[in-house]
Amino acid sequence: MSIGQSVSKHRFACVTAVCAIAAACGSFALGVGRSIWFDEGYTLIVESQPFARMMDLLKVDVHPPLYYLMLRMWISVFGSDVMALRAMS
């Protein structure tokens, strides 16, 4: 590997890290001091149902159920406050 390739990979890694940090800060700023939005409220209502009822509700939803299943695991680890809910998305 030449020095130019090494510098290029290092620069790419730095730019990627800066972009990831900026995206995380922007996402965090969106949720600070804001109440829960309609779609987030609906998601919490669906997720809080027993599993069989949740699947019945999702039959008429346009989104695939995998998100709700992943969210159920996410909430069991991080809680259901607004920031935790938005962090998964």
Side-chain angles (χ1 to χ4, degrees):
M1 179 184 324
S2 72
I3 293 174
Q5 288 175 332
S6 177
V7 170
S8 179
K9 285 184 181 183
H10 180 40
R11 185 177 299 155
F12 177 76
C14 288
V15 169
T16 302
V18 167
C19 288
I21 291 169
C25 290
S27 295
F28 179 76
L30 282 174
V32 174
R34 306 225 179 177
S35 62
I36 197 161
W37 296 331
F38 174 78
D39 57 334
E40 295 166 336
Y42 176 77
T43 299
L44 282 175
I45 290 170
V46 169
E47 190 281 324
S48 67
Q49 302 299 311
F51 184 78
R53 175 75 177 131
M54 183 175 86
M55 289 296 122
D56 286 339
L57 290 171
L58 294 178
K59 288 178 183 174
V60 295
D61 196 332
V62 297
H63 300 97
L66 180 61
Y67 174 77
Y68 294 96
L69 297 173
M70 290 172 54
L71 183 64
R72 183 166 280 204
M73 291 184 289
W74 181 269
I75 286 175
S76 70
V77 174
F78 297 105
S80 62
D81 66 328
V82 175
M83 289 306 298
L85 183 64
R86 290 180 182 158
M88 184 181 150
S89 296

